[in-house]
Amino acid sequence: MWTYHPELLATPVPRYTSYPTAAEFGDDVGPVDMEEALAAIAPGTVVSLYLHIPYCRDICWYCGCNTGAANRAARLATYVERLEREIALVAQRVRGIRVGRIAFGGGSPNAIPPAAFLRLVENVRTAFDCTDAILSVEVDPRGFDRDWAGAIGRAGVSRVSLGVQTLDPQVQAAIGRVQPSEDIRRTTALLRDAGVGSINFDLMYGLPQQSEQSLRASIAESIAMAPDRLAVFGYAHVPHLVPRQRRIVADGLAGTAERFAQAALAHRMLVDAGYDPVGFDHFARPGDALALAQAAASGGLRRNFQGFTEDPAEILIGLGASAISDFPDKILQTEKNTGRYGMRIDAGALATCRGLRRTPEDRLRGRAIETILTRGTANLTALSDGADIRRRLTPFERYGLIAWEGSVLRLSEDALPYARVIASRLDAYRQTASARFSHAV
């Protein structure tokens, strides 16, 4: 289905959930930037909220998320109290905005008690105009129970994403995430009974000890559980950045050729099972909002820190330790360390400590990169280095992966696994290799 060109995949590249990427974040921004960004939101603007729960019952070795062990009830309770205070601090600084999406992520939101989750949801709905807001939650099936399912039903959660990763016991042991298939089936059934209309499975390829055969089995078993969406990510092995990954035996990792074959296998199996491909690593049932956004002539599909999405909001406000807020002219991240985060919130201050200010050129490039990844095309007329970009893309043109219509770049159907690499040729910060990133596929 796809042709493998190893020389085009030799350089690690970002996933481009933002532009500029987190690799460009610096500490020259702070609470004042957040104050200004919030004050600049016009009344009536529809924004999205993201609430970060940086705790998990068990820490998986592969995971690059900002999370810690949920082994002390008092620590979790204190964090929830501080998150409630931050909700109030942000609400005091905005006027007349409306919330279209509320997303809980982590870590694992279900690491906190279900009652604490319900209290957070109520706090958000009291602080902001959340009429008809779509509520989504990430869930760790390990430890998920009827009490949590009941809380999800009472809160009106309509979308849940399950961290599945793999259903192969040998691969699970190699990544420190032992999770029997029965946990996934039970959690899926509980969520359906609670009225959740859209369930997503996160799967991974390129994991240690993972063969095409084991990936095939995990995908087939996942399809049988009938999720509405699936995301199939390539594992990023960067132990120099994520110390817990040092527990993974690198000798068991797939090379680029094997990863390419695994990505192609996942794509073929899911399309054959009736899922529509969305972007380069998401899949959705026809009729699902994500599939409809992909098919929309108006370009309804977007890409943000949650991956591919149909969320049209131009502003995302992040709440909680390490949460990222995305504004047209700024990307701002809250203090990662929960202790320092808590000290700032307790002092009645916002906890912004890292990020960047976007230049007009950043915004132009970011939109072009997003349309490459979501629509397979981009108009590069306004970019200052169009001739250099065209030169850097010559190898892709030679293989027929791209074509030009004046200054408009178009990707062929065969270019899907190369989309991130093609996008990277527009990245003004990324024209030299970086050890921060993993495989291009």
Side-chain angles (χ1 to χ4, degrees):
M1 179 181 61
W2 296 334
T3 304
Y4 177 51
H5 304 293
E7 69 276 20
L8 300 183
L9 299 169
T11 303
V13 294
R15 297 186 187 274
Y16 289 113
T17 53
S18 73
Y19 183 83
T21 71
E24 279 64 67
F25 286 9
D27 57 6
D28 59 339
V29 300
V32 172
D33 293 272
M34 189 65 171
E35 298 266 7
E36 293 175 348
L38 293 172
I41 304 176
T45 300
V46 179
V47 307
S48 295
L49 299 181
Y50 171 79
L51 291 87
H52 189 71
I53 308 297
Y55 296 102
C56 293
R57 295 179 184 274
D58 299 290
I59 306 299
C60 307
W61 304 341
Y62 68 88
C63 181
C65 297
N66 180 55
T67 188
N71 52 6
R72 289 166 48 192
R75 175 192 294 170
L76 297 179
T78 298
Y79 180 79
V80 169
E81 290 171 2
R82 286 166 168 166
L83 189 50
E84 290 173 335
R85 290 178 198 146
E86 188 184 13
I87 292 168
L89 288 172
V90 170
Q92 292 165 8
R93 288 160 170 79
V94 294
R95 291 291 181 271
I97 67 170
R98 295 192 299 116
V99 174
R101 309 283 178 113
I102 307 167
F104 282 80
S108 302
N110 59 307
I112 65 174
F117 167 73
L118 286 170
R119 201 170 75 228
L120 284 171
V121 172
E122 183 59 30
N123 265 266
V124 169
R125 287 177 169 157
T126 300
F128 303 99
D129 177 1
C130 298
T131 306
D132 298 325
I134 295 171
L135 180 55
S136 63
V137 181
E138 295 177 3
V139 161
D140 182 347
R142 299 170 299 176
F144 189 82
D145 56 20
R146 290 189 178 277
D147 288 343
W148 245 101
I152 278 178
R154 288 194 295 278
V157 175
S158 59
R159 299 178 183 178
V160 172
S161 181
L162 302 186
V164 177
Q165 320 313 347
T166 176
L167 295 170
D168 184 315
Q170 180 181 354
V171 181
Q172 289 178 351
I175 62 174
R177 189 186 181 93
V178 176
Q179 181 174 259
S181 298
E182 180 52 37
D183 285 2
I184 313 299
R185 283 191 288 270
R186 175 182 49 79
T187 299
T188 300
L190 286 171
L191 292 171
R192 295 297 189 198
D193 289 344
V196 176
S198 180
I199 295 177
N200 173 77
F201 282 12
D202 279 349
L203 299 175
M204 298 182 79
Y205 64 87
L207 291 168
Q209 309 302 323
Q210 188 177 43
S211 64
E212 283 193 43
Q213 182 179 358
S214 67
L215 177 62
R216 183 189 300 275
S218 288
I219 293 174
E221 193 169 354
S222 296
I223 291 171
M225 297 184 210
D228 305 277
R229 302 179 180 183
L230 297 101
V232 188
F233 303 108
Y235 167 58
H237 189 63
V238 284
H240 53 290
L241 298 175
V242 184
R244 64 176 69 109
Q245 290 185 353
R246 295 170 189 163
R247 301 184 69 177
I248 289 177
V249 180
D251 290 347
L253 293 172
T256 305
E258 295 171 283
R259 289 173 65 96
F260 188 92
Q262 290 180 3
L265 171 66
H267 188 279
R268 184 171 61 251
M269 288 186 68
L270 290 168
V271 170
D272 288 349
Y275 288 89
D276 287 345
V278 179
F280 55 81
D281 59 6
H282 284 46
F283 302 84
R285 291 193 178 280
D288 181 274
L290 194 62
L292 295 175
Q294 169 78 88
S298 58
L301 186 66
R302 301 293 305 278
R303 186 157 175 80
N304 64 17
F305 292 107
Q306 277 80 58
F308 290 105
T309 177
E310 79 283 8
D311 183 359
E314 296 290 340
I315 294 174
L316 169 69
I317 299 174
L319 300 161
S322 81
I324 298 175
S325 296
D326 194 0
F327 301 94
D329 61 342
K330 297 181 182 74
I331 306 177
L332 304 172
Q333 185 172 27
T334 303
E335 169 64 57
K336 290 184 178 182
N337 179 277
T338 54
R340 291 193 293 270
Y341 159 81
M343 290 173 63
R344 294 194 183 198
I345 298 300
D346 287 347
L350 298 173
T352 306
C353 70
R354 284 180 59 78
L356 53 83
R357 302 179 187 96
R358 282 190 174 108
T359 67
E361 181 79 3
D362 287 337
R363 295 171 69 174
L364 286 171
R365 289 180 189 274
R367 183 56 183 155
I369 286 172
E370 183 181 32
T371 59
I372 285 173
L373 300 180
T374 57
R375 303 178 67 183
T377 186
N379 189 333
L380 309 186
T381 303
L383 298 185
S384 60
D385 58 345
D388 288 338
I389 292 171
R390 190 159 190 155
R391 174 182 52 79
R392 292 194 290 267
L393 288 172
T394 298
F396 300 90
E397 188 175 13
R398 186 180 304 126
Y399 284 121
L401 298 173
I402 64 168
W404 294 94
E405 297 174 9
S407 296
V408 176
L409 169 68
R410 296 195 186 281
L411 279 62
S412 71
E413 290 186 9
D414 293 339
L416 193 60
Y418 301 93
R420 285 166 52 213
V421 188
I422 292 169
S424 74
R425 299 306 189 259
L426 279 64
D427 188 338
Y429 303 89
R430 198 90 309 108
Q431 297 314 311
T432 57
S434 172
R436 288 185 61 91
F437 309 114
S438 185
H439 292 272
V441 67

